[in-house]
Amino acid sequence: MEIEAEGIRKTYLSKAGPVEALAGVDLVVPSGKIFGFLGPNGAGKTTLTRILTTLSRPDAGRARIAGFDVATQAQEVRRRIGYVSQAGGVDSGMSGRANLVLQARLQGMSKSDTVARVGELSDRFGLGELLDRAVKTLSGGQNRRLALAMGLVHRPSVMFLDEPTLGLDPRARVDLWQEISALRADGSTVFLTTHYLEEADALCDELAIIDNGTIVSQGSPAALKREVGSDDVISVTVGAGHARADGARTEIEALAGANRVWWEGDVLRVSIADGGEALPHLLRLLDAAGIEVRSVTLSAPGLDDVFLQKTGRSFSAEGASEQKPKGPDKADEKTDAGQLQGA
Ligand SMILES: Nc1ncnc2c1ncn2[C@@H]1O[C@H](COP(=O)(O)OP(=O)(O)OP(=O)(O)O)[C@@H](O)[C@H]1O
């Protein structure tokens, strides 16, 4: 196992009183996988990431990376991990190349190894002439690619990415997903925090969902959705023949796995166990009844259904909306980042 955590607890003391960020977290992450740590804002994702990357100490519990204890063998851990925080750790006044070189030297790499590695990473991330521009002139997506390259300078086997696509437009987000998938193809383990449900679903082999400092569910996205057991919903917008459609209702209700059939205006909805399997049968029934079908959609249960069932609240209502990346001025980020760079 590449990452193991047991009983991790962390409470922050703030002026307003104690904030329990992690209330006993257990995790096991196999190597060579993309592991998603999904939860709404404030759930505890960054706190756990900082503990696993040796930047913060838990109040209780133990964690190991590649078999090394994060508290007592921090140097060993730091050699094996890369961490891209929400702030990115990139100095925006310097060029990308200067950032990469600085990072490599801080990691103790020789000059010749640094030059070779910067060249490799430049090719790999298509950075090219972007490397010689000041970082502040780069787009959000280019900036994230540079931050990812910086995290990879010392060839870590485990990458921690804290909200890697936060604030990016959909195109740049999908580009970055490809880069993250390529890390797995190279054999790295990726631990990724996100509050984007579709990102967790599309990218991760396995997921843990955290809420209020507690893991509420863990498994592959498909297994979590199966566990919830929600039906697919087929929605058919009908044209002429709407009135006649009710004549077919008994047969529609008799379709295998159908649990509920109802109308919303001119849209017929069927809640059914396996929508893909039932869809052709449903369309044949409607056709036989002389009903004009204008459009059809099939929606499968999503991770939002999993969150709803496990917590009793909807994910989107929990502040999981768009937000800006945290700046480097986030509490104790600067001082702690120095620890990792100095490793
Ligand atoms: N330095 C700190 N002092 C006091 N409270 C803190 C501190 N850092 C985090 N917290 C609180 O601990 C809880 C967990 O925060 P954390 O940043 O780990 O959540 P998160 O899941 O990463 O959120 P986000 O998605 O917004 O990044 C929140 O209630 C947060 O306000």
Side-chain angles (χ1 to χ4, degrees), residues 72-305:
T72 59
Q73 296 171 295
Q75 295 285 6
E76 295 292 347
V77 170
R78 289 174 196 170
R79 256 191 270 238
R80 287 165 178 80
I81 63 169
Y83 175 38
V84 181
S85 70
Q86 285 184 32
V90 182
D91 183 328
S92 60
M94 294 178 2
S95 69
R97 187 180 306 281
N99 269 286
L100 280 171
V101 169
L102 176 65
Q103 186 66 17
R105 301 294 284 158
L106 285 170
Q107 293 290 348
M109 290 166 61
S110 70
K111 275 191 185 157
S112 58
D113 196 14
T114 297
V115 171
R117 185 67 176 147
V118 170
E120 266 169 41
L121 289 167
S122 169
D123 292 348
R124 155 99 181 256
F125 289 98
L127 292 169
E129 70 10 290
L130 297 177
L131 274 189
D132 295 309
R133 280 177 29 194
V135 170
K136 59 179 166 241
T137 67
L138 301 180
S139 72
Q142 291 165 341
N143 204 303
R144 295 305 170 87
R145 269 158 46 214
L146 175 64
L148 203 52
M150 282 175 65
L152 286 169
V153 152
H154 57 301
R155 303 180 180 86
S157 57
V158 187
M159 273 301 275
F160 288 88
L161 308 176
D162 194 1
E163 302 271 4
T165 65
L166 187 64
L168 294 185
D169 63 54
R171 170 78 203 277
R173 183 171 297 168
V174 170
D175 284 350
L176 208 69
W177 287 358
Q178 284 173 359
E179 300 293 0
I180 296 168
S181 299
L183 296 178
R184 171 181 51 196
D186 289 347
S188 299
T189 305
V190 180
F191 183 95
L192 154 108
T193 74
T194 184
H195 68 254
Y196 293 123
L197 295 162
E198 76 282 13
E199 178 160 292
D201 209 351
L203 199 55
C204 299
D205 302 303
E206 207 165 313
L207 276 182
I209 302 181
I210 184 166
D211 183 41
N212 284 329
T214 304
I215 292 189
V216 295
S217 205
Q218 186 174 342
S220 70
L224 292 181
K225 287 183 280 186
R226 264 200 311 276
E227 204 182 297
V228 170
S230 334
D231 282 346
D232 294 341
V233 176
I234 303 174
S235 303
V236 185
T237 305
V238 303
H242 177 280
R244 272 175 289 155
D246 254 2
R249 190 179 181 116
T250 317
E251 286 166 291
I252 295 171
E253 282 171 345
L255 283 170
N259 286 316
R260 193 175 154 224
V261 177
W262 73 104
W263 284 95
E264 286 171 24
D266 58 357
V267 180
L268 172 71
R269 296 202 199 274
V270 181
S271 168
I272 195 156
D274 185 343
E277 162 73 25
L279 188 56
H281 302 293
L282 174 63
L283 293 179
R284 269 200 296 278
L285 285 178
L286 293 173
D287 188 45
I291 297 155
E292 183 203 348
V293 171
R294 293 213 166 132
S295 67
V296 182
T297 61
L298 170 63
S299 56
L303 291 173
D304 43 352
D305 298 304

Side-chain angles (χ1 to χ4, degrees), residues 12-14 19-21 39-48 86 162-163 195 323 326 330-332:
Y12 293 105
L13 300 173
S14 72
V19 181
E20 188 178 44
N41 295 144
K45 304 179 297 293
T46 299
T47 301
L48 184 72
Q86 285 184 32
D162 194 1
E163 302 271 4
H195 68 254
Q323 58 161 13
K326 288 174 186 166
K330 194 197 168 198
D332 68 6

